[in-house]
PDB file of all heavy atoms in Angstrom:
ATOM      1  N   ILE A 198     116.051 108.657 150.317  1.00  0.00           N
ATOM      2  CA  ILE A 198     116.272 107.241 150.000  1.00  0.00           C
ATOM      3  C   ILE A 198     115.174 106.730 149.071  1.00  0.00           C
ATOM      4  O   ILE A 198     115.437 106.029 148.094  1.00  0.00           O
ATOM      5  CB  ILE A 198     116.311 106.407 151.299  1.00  0.00           C
ATOM      6  CG1 ILE A 198     117.546 106.775 152.128  1.00  0.00           C
ATOM      7  CG2 ILE A 198     116.295 104.917 150.989  1.00  0.00           C
ATOM      8  CD1 ILE A 198     117.557 106.158 153.513  1.00  0.00           C
ATOM      9  N   ALA A 199     113.914 107.090 149.368  1.00  0.00           N
ATOM     10  CA  ALA A 199     112.780 106.591 148.590  1.00  0.00           C
ATOM     11  C   ALA A 199     112.811 107.089 147.145  1.00  0.00           C
ATOM     12  O   ALA A 199     112.409 106.373 146.228  1.00  0.00           O
ATOM     13  CB  ALA A 199     111.470 107.005 149.264  1.00  0.00           C
ATOM     14  N   ARG A 200     113.280 108.308 146.929  1.00  0.00           N
ATOM     15  CA  ARG A 200     113.232 108.855 145.564  1.00  0.00           C
ATOM     16  C   ARG A 200     114.517 108.595 144.772  1.00  0.00           C
ATOM     17  O   ARG A 200     114.619 108.989 143.610  1.00  0.00           O
ATOM     18  CB  ARG A 200     112.972 110.348 145.613  1.00  0.00           C
ATOM     19  CG  ARG A 200     114.105 111.192 146.132  1.00  0.00           C
ATOM     20  CD  ARG A 200     113.854 112.670 145.905  1.00  0.00           C
ATOM     21  NE  ARG A 200     114.864 113.494 146.540  1.00  0.00           N
ATOM     22  CZ  ARG A 200     116.071 113.726 146.020  1.00  0.00           C
ATOM     23  NH1 ARG A 200     116.425 113.168 144.872  1.00  0.00           N
ATOM     24  NH2 ARG A 200     116.928 114.498 146.661  1.00  0.00           N
ATOM     25  N   PHE A 201     115.488 107.919 145.399  1.00  0.00           N
ATOM     26  CA  PHE A 201     116.766 107.684 144.718  1.00  0.00           C
ATOM     27  C   PHE A 201     116.553 106.925 143.414  1.00  0.00           C
ATOM     28  O   PHE A 201     115.952 105.847 143.392  1.00  0.00           O
ATOM     29  CB  PHE A 201     117.709 106.901 145.637  1.00  0.00           C
ATOM     30  CG  PHE A 201     119.068 106.647 145.028  1.00  0.00           C
ATOM     31  CD1 PHE A 201     120.004 107.660 144.955  1.00  0.00           C
ATOM     32  CD2 PHE A 201     119.375 105.402 144.497  1.00  0.00           C
ATOM     33  CE1 PHE A 201     121.250 107.430 144.386  1.00  0.00           C
ATOM     34  CE2 PHE A 201     120.611 105.159 143.921  1.00  0.00           C
ATOM     35  CZ  PHE A 201     121.555 106.186 143.866  1.00  0.00           C
ATOM     36  N   GLY A 202     117.031 107.495 142.320  1.00  0.00           N
ATOM     37  CA  GLY A 202     116.948 106.833 141.028  1.00  0.00           C
ATOM     38  C   GLY A 202     115.633 107.010 140.289  1.00  0.00           C
ATOM     39  O   GLY A 202     115.460 106.447 139.204  1.00  0.00           O
ATOM     40  N   THR A 203     114.688 107.778 140.839  1.00  0.00           N
ATOM     41  CA  THR A 203     113.395 107.963 140.168  1.00  0.00           C
ATOM     42  C   THR A 203     113.403 109.246 139.340  1.00  0.00           C
ATOM     43  O   THR A 203     114.160 110.184 139.616  1.00  0.00           O
ATOM     44  CB  THR A 203     112.245 108.050 141.185  1.00  0.00           C
ATOM     45  OG1 THR A 203     112.458 109.176 142.043  1.00  0.00           O
ATOM     46  CG2 THR A 203     112.166 106.790 142.020  1.00  0.00           C
ATOM     47  N   ARG A 204     112.532 109.277 138.338  1.00  0.00           N
ATOM     48  CA  ARG A 204     112.320 110.493 137.553  1.00  0.00           C
ATOM     49  C   ARG A 204     111.072 111.180 138.068  1.00  0.00           C
ATOM     50  O   ARG A 204     110.011 110.570 138.157  1.00  0.00           O
ATOM     51  CB  ARG A 204     112.146 110.151 136.073  1.00  0.00           C
ATOM     52  CG  ARG A 204     113.414 109.644 135.405  1.00  0.00           C
ATOM     53  CD  ARG A 204     113.194 109.445 133.918  1.00  0.00           C
ATOM     54  NE  ARG A 204     114.405 109.019 133.242  1.00  0.00           N
ATOM     55  CZ  ARG A 204     114.497 108.799 131.931  1.00  0.00           C
ATOM     56  NH1 ARG A 204     113.419 108.969 131.170  1.00  0.00           N
ATOM     57  NH2 ARG A 204     115.634 108.404 131.397  1.00  0.00           N
ATOM     58  N   GLN A 205     111.210 112.451 138.403  1.00  0.00           N
ATOM     59  CA  GLN A 205     110.095 113.161 139.011  1.00  0.00           C
ATOM     60  C   GLN A 205     109.547 114.218 138.051  1.00  0.00           C
ATOM     61  O   GLN A 205     110.311 114.889 137.358  1.00  0.00           O
ATOM     62  CB  GLN A 205     110.551 113.846 140.305  1.00  0.00           C
ATOM     63  CG  GLN A 205     111.103 112.884 141.340  1.00  0.00           C
ATOM     64  CD  GLN A 205     111.528 113.609 142.601  1.00  0.00           C
ATOM     65  OE1 GLN A 205     110.704 114.172 143.303  1.00  0.00           O
ATOM     66  NE2 GLN A 205     112.823 113.613 142.881  1.00  0.00           N
ATOM     67  N   PRO A 206     108.220 114.376 138.024  1.00  0.00           N
ATOM     68  CA  PRO A 206     107.629 115.414 137.167  1.00  0.00           C
ATOM     69  C   PRO A 206     107.922 116.802 137.711  1.00  0.00           C
ATOM     70  O   PRO A 206     108.236 116.966 138.897  1.00  0.00           O
ATOM     71  CB  PRO A 206     106.132 115.091 137.221  1.00  0.00           C
ATOM     72  CG  PRO A 206     105.941 114.411 138.533  1.00  0.00           C
ATOM     73  CD  PRO A 206     107.204 113.631 138.780  1.00  0.00           C
ATOM     74  N   ARG A 207     107.763 117.806 136.855  1.00  0.00           N
ATOM     75  CA  ARG A 207     108.014 119.169 137.298  1.00  0.00           C
ATOM     76  C   ARG A 207     106.993 119.610 138.334  1.00  0.00           C
ATOM     77  O   ARG A 207     107.331 120.249 139.322  1.00  0.00           O
ATOM     78  CB  ARG A 207     107.986 120.103 136.086  1.00  0.00           C
ATOM     79  CG  ARG A 207     108.260 121.562 136.424  1.00  0.00           C
ATOM     80  CD  ARG A 207     108.405 122.403 135.173  1.00  0.00           C
ATOM     81  NE  ARG A 207     109.529 121.933 134.352  1.00  0.00           N
ATOM     82  CZ  ARG A 207     109.830 122.459 133.167  1.00  0.00           C
ATOM     83  NH1 ARG A 207     109.097 123.427 132.653  1.00  0.00           N
ATOM     84  NH2 ARG A 207     110.862 121.994 132.478  1.00  0.00           N
ATOM     85  N   GLU A 208     105.718 119.243 138.109  1.00  0.00           N
ATOM     86  CA  GLU A 208     104.652 119.589 139.038  1.00  0.00           C
ATOM     87  C   GLU A 208     104.220 118.338 139.802  1.00  0.00           C
ATOM     88  O   GLU A 208     103.831 117.350 139.188  1.00  0.00           O
ATOM     89  CB  GLU A 208     103.445 120.177 138.294  1.00  0.00           C
ATOM     90  CG  GLU A 208     103.692 121.548 137.706  1.00  0.00           C
ATOM     91  CD  GLU A 208     103.970 122.605 138.767  1.00  0.00           C
ATOM     92  OE1 GLU A 208     103.382 122.489 139.870  1.00  0.00           O
ATOM     93  OE2 GLU A 208     104.778 123.514 138.515  1.00  0.00           O
ATOM     94  N   PRO A 209     104.289 118.349 141.115  1.00  0.00           N
ATOM     95  CA  PRO A 209     103.901 117.158 141.894  1.00  0.00           C
ATOM     96  C   PRO A 209     102.426 116.820 141.703  1.00  0.00           C
ATOM     97  O   PRO A 209     101.578 117.709 141.607  1.00  0.00           O
ATOM     98  CB  PRO A 209     104.167 117.577 143.344  1.00  0.00           C
ATOM     99  CG  PRO A 209     105.092 118.744 143.257  1.00  0.00           C
ATOM    100  CD  PRO A 209     104.767 119.438 141.976  1.00  0.00           C
ATOM    101  N   ASP A 210     102.130 115.529 141.631  1.00  0.00           N
ATOM    102  CA  ASP A 210     100.744 115.062 141.512  1.00  0.00           C
ATOM    103  C   ASP A 210     100.440 114.190 142.730  1.00  0.00           C
ATOM    104  O   ASP A 210     100.554 112.970 142.691  1.00  0.00           O
ATOM    105  CB  ASP A 210     100.555 114.270 140.222  1.00  0.00           C
ATOM    106  CG  ASP A 210      99.117 113.787 140.046  1.00  0.00           C
ATOM    107  OD1 ASP A 210      98.236 114.267 140.784  1.00  0.00           O
ATOM    108  OD2 ASP A 210      98.884 112.921 139.179  1.00  0.00           O
ATOM    109  N   TYR A 211     100.051 114.839 143.813  1.00  0.00           N
ATOM    110  CA  TYR A 211      99.788 114.113 145.055  1.00  0.00           C
ATOM    111  C   TYR A 211      98.565 113.213 144.910  1.00  0.00           C
ATOM    112  O   TYR A 211      98.553 112.067 145.371  1.00  0.00           O
ATOM    113  CB  TYR A 211      99.574 115.113 146.194  1.00  0.00           C
ATOM    114  CG  TYR A 211     100.749 116.032 146.413  1.00  0.00           C
ATOM    115  CD1 TYR A 211     100.807 117.277 145.788  1.00  0.00           C
ATOM    116  CD2 TYR A 211     101.800 115.651 147.230  1.00  0.00           C
ATOM    117  CE1 TYR A 211     101.890 118.121 145.980  1.00  0.00           C
ATOM    118  CE2 TYR A 211     102.890 116.489 147.427  1.00  0.00           C
ATOM    119  CZ  TYR A 211     102.928 117.719 146.795  1.00  0.00           C
ATOM    120  OH  TYR A 211     104.006 118.545 146.975  1.00  0.00           O
ATOM    121  N   ALA A 212      97.521 113.727 144.271  1.00  0.00           N
ATOM    122  CA  ALA A 212      96.295 112.952 144.101  1.00  0.00           C
ATOM    123  C   ALA A 212      96.562 111.687 143.299  1.00  0.00           C
ATOM    124  O   ALA A 212      96.086 110.600 143.635  1.00  0.00           O
ATOM    125  CB  ALA A 212      95.220 113.804 143.428  1.00  0.00           C
ATOM    126  N   GLY A 213      97.350 111.814 142.222  1.00  0.00           N
ATOM    127  CA  GLY A 213      97.667 110.648 141.405  1.00  0.00           C
ATOM    128  C   GLY A 213      98.454 109.606 142.179  1.00  0.00           C
ATOM    129  O   GLY A 213      98.242 108.404 142.008  1.00  0.00           O
ATOM    130  N   ALA A 214      99.354 110.055 143.056  1.00  0.00           N
ATOM    131  CA  ALA A 214     100.150 109.113 143.854  1.00  0.00           C
ATOM    132  C   ALA A 214      99.275 108.330 144.813  1.00  0.00           C
ATOM    133  O   ALA A 214      99.375 107.097 144.894  1.00  0.00           O
ATOM    134  CB  ALA A 214     101.226 109.884 144.620  1.00  0.00           C
ATOM    135  N   PHE A 215      98.402 109.019 145.537  1.00  0.00           N
ATOM    136  CA  PHE A 215      97.527 108.323 146.486  1.00  0.00           C
ATOM    137  C   PHE A 215      96.558 107.390 145.757  1.00  0.00           C
ATOM    138  O   PHE A 215      96.231 106.314 146.257  1.00  0.00           O
ATOM    139  CB  PHE A 215      96.759 109.336 147.331  1.00  0.00           C
ATOM    140  CG  PHE A 215      97.574 109.928 148.446  1.00  0.00           C
ATOM    141  CD1 PHE A 215      98.373 111.032 148.240  1.00  0.00           C
ATOM    142  CD2 PHE A 215      97.555 109.354 149.708  1.00  0.00           C
ATOM    143  CE1 PHE A 215      99.133 111.571 149.255  1.00  0.00           C
ATOM    144  CE2 PHE A 215      98.310 109.882 150.740  1.00  0.00           C
ATOM    145  CZ  PHE A 215      99.110 110.995 150.513  1.00  0.00           C
ATOM    146  N   GLN A 216      96.121 107.809 144.576  1.00  0.00           N
ATOM    147  CA  GLN A 216      95.231 106.960 143.786  1.00  0.00           C
ATOM    148  C   GLN A 216      95.932 105.656 143.415  1.00  0.00           C
ATOM    149  O   GLN A 216      95.343 104.571 143.487  1.00  0.00           O
ATOM    150  CB  GLN A 216      94.814 107.707 142.509  1.00  0.00           C
ATOM    151  CG  GLN A 216      93.796 106.983 141.649  1.00  0.00           C
ATOM    152  CD  GLN A 216      92.378 107.361 142.006  1.00  0.00           C
ATOM    153  OE1 GLN A 216      92.164 108.303 142.735  1.00  0.00           O
ATOM    154  NE2 GLN A 216      91.429 106.619 141.494  1.00  0.00           N
ATOM    155  N   GLU A 217      97.206 105.754 143.046  1.00  0.00           N
ATOM    156  CA  GLU A 217      97.950 104.561 142.632  1.00  0.00           C
ATOM    157  C   GLU A 217      98.250 103.634 143.802  1.00  0.00           C
ATOM    158  O   GLU A 217      98.247 102.413 143.648  1.00  0.00           O
ATOM    159  CB  GLU A 217      99.260 104.984 141.950  1.00  0.00           C
ATOM    160  CG  GLU A 217     100.079 103.818 141.422  1.00  0.00           C
ATOM    161  CD  GLU A 217     101.346 104.254 140.717  1.00  0.00           C
ATOM    162  OE1 GLU A 217     101.374 105.384 140.184  1.00  0.00           O
ATOM    163  OE2 GLU A 217     102.311 103.469 140.705  1.00  0.00           O
ATOM    164  N   ILE A 218      98.488 104.188 144.983  1.00  0.00           N
ATOM    165  CA  ILE A 218      98.843 103.359 146.133  1.00  0.00           C
ATOM    166  C   ILE A 218      97.693 102.450 146.540  1.00  0.00           C
ATOM    167  O   ILE A 218      97.899 101.292 146.887  1.00  0.00           O
ATOM    168  CB  ILE A 218      99.297 104.245 147.310  1.00  0.00           C
ATOM    169  CG1 ILE A 218     100.649 104.890 146.964  1.00  0.00           C
ATOM    170  CG2 ILE A 218      99.426 103.431 148.588  1.00  0.00           C
ATOM    171  CD1 ILE A 218     101.106 105.930 147.966  1.00  0.00           C
ATOM    172  N   GLY A 219      96.442 102.964 146.506  1.00  0.00           N
ATOM    173  CA  GLY A 219      95.331 102.066 146.814  1.00  0.00           C
ATOM    174  C   GLY A 219      94.239 102.677 147.662  1.00  0.00           C
ATOM    175  O   GLY A 219      94.275 103.865 148.007  1.00  0.00           O
ATOM    176  N   PRO A 220      93.239 101.864 148.024  1.00  0.00           N
ATOM    177  CA  PRO A 220      92.035 102.359 148.706  1.00  0.00           C
ATOM    178  C   PRO A 220      92.299 103.111 150.004  1.00  0.00           C
ATOM    179  O   PRO A 220      91.760 104.190 150.221  1.00  0.00           O
ATOM    180  CB  PRO A 220      91.234 101.072 148.969  1.00  0.00           C
ATOM    181  CG  PRO A 220      91.692 100.114 147.935  1.00  0.00           C
ATOM    182  CD  PRO A 220      93.134 100.422 147.718  1.00  0.00           C
ATOM    183  N   ALA A 221      93.121 102.540 150.895  1.00  0.00           N
ATOM    184  CA  ALA A 221      93.363 103.208 152.178  1.00  0.00           C
ATOM    185  C   ALA A 221      94.084 104.530 151.968  1.00  0.00           C
ATOM    186  O   ALA A 221      93.824 105.517 152.672  1.00  0.00           O
ATOM    187  CB  ALA A 221      94.173 102.296 153.100  1.00  0.00           C
ATOM    188  N   ALA A 222      94.982 104.572 150.984  1.00  0.00           N
ATOM    189  CA  ALA A 222      95.710 105.811 150.704  1.00  0.00           C
ATOM    190  C   ALA A 222      94.769 106.887 150.166  1.00  0.00           C
ATOM    191  O   ALA A 222      94.963 108.078 150.427  1.00  0.00           O
ATOM    192  CB  ALA A 222      96.830 105.543 149.697  1.00  0.00           C
ATOM    193  N   ILE A 223      93.754 106.490 149.410  1.00  0.00           N
ATOM    194  CA  ILE A 223      92.780 107.457 148.906  1.00  0.00           C
ATOM    195  C   ILE A 223      92.079 108.133 150.081  1.00  0.00           C
ATOM    196  O   ILE A 223      91.913 109.365 150.117  1.00  0.00           O
ATOM    197  CB  ILE A 223      91.761 106.770 147.978  1.00  0.00           C
ATOM    198  CG1 ILE A 223      92.452 106.346 146.674  1.00  0.00           C
ATOM    199  CG2 ILE A 223      90.571 107.687 147.690  1.00  0.00           C
ATOM    200  CD1 ILE A 223      91.575 105.521 145.751  1.00  0.00           C
ATOM    201  N   LYS A 224      91.656 107.341 151.052  1.00  0.00           N
ATOM    202  CA  LYS A 224      90.996 107.901 152.237  1.00  0.00           C
ATOM    203  C   LYS A 224      91.965 108.785 153.026  1.00  0.00           C
ATOM    204  O   LYS A 224      91.581 109.847 153.538  1.00  0.00           O
ATOM    205  CB  LYS A 224      90.459 106.786 153.129  1.00  0.00           C
ATOM    206  CG  LYS A 224      89.360 105.954 152.479  1.00  0.00           C
ATOM    207  CD  LYS A 224      88.173 106.822 152.107  1.00  0.00           C
ATOM    208  CE  LYS A 224      87.064 106.027 151.445  1.00  0.00           C
ATOM    209  NZ  LYS A 224      85.970 106.897 150.959  1.00  0.00           N
ATOM    210  N   LEU A 225      93.227 108.366 153.139  1.00  0.00           N
ATOM    211  CA  LEU A 225      94.221 109.168 153.831  1.00  0.00           C
ATOM    212  C   LEU A 225      94.441 110.487 153.097  1.00  0.00           C
ATOM    213  O   LEU A 225      94.530 111.551 153.724  1.00  0.00           O
ATOM    214  CB  LEU A 225      95.541 108.395 153.936  1.00  0.00           C
ATOM    215  CG  LEU A 225      96.706 109.139 154.591  1.00  0.00           C
ATOM    216  CD1 LEU A 225      96.367 109.516 156.028  1.00  0.00           C
ATOM    217  CD2 LEU A 225      97.968 108.297 154.545  1.00  0.00           C
ATOM    218  N   GLY A 226      94.496 110.422 151.781  1.00  0.00           N
ATOM    219  CA  GLY A 226      94.678 111.644 150.995  1.00  0.00           C
ATOM    220  C   GLY A 226      93.535 112.619 151.169  1.00  0.00           C
ATOM    221  O   GLY A 226      93.733 113.831 151.260  1.00  0.00           O
TER     222      GLY A 226
END
């Protein structure tokens, strides 16, 4: 459901995603 309609890169960038979400996500990552 969350990824419906999104364009995804060939190689996942987990670090970039947590960085974009915010401070608490950085610590969680």
Side-chain angles (χ1 to χ4, degrees):
I198 293 171
R200 70 169 173 80
F201 182 76
T203 61
R204 291 185 177 181
Q205 301 180 65
R207 181 172 299 177
E208 290 296 327
D210 181 13
Y211 301 93
F215 281 86
Q216 185 91 12
E217 183 178 333
I218 291 172
I223 291 174
K224 296 300 179 186
L225 177 61

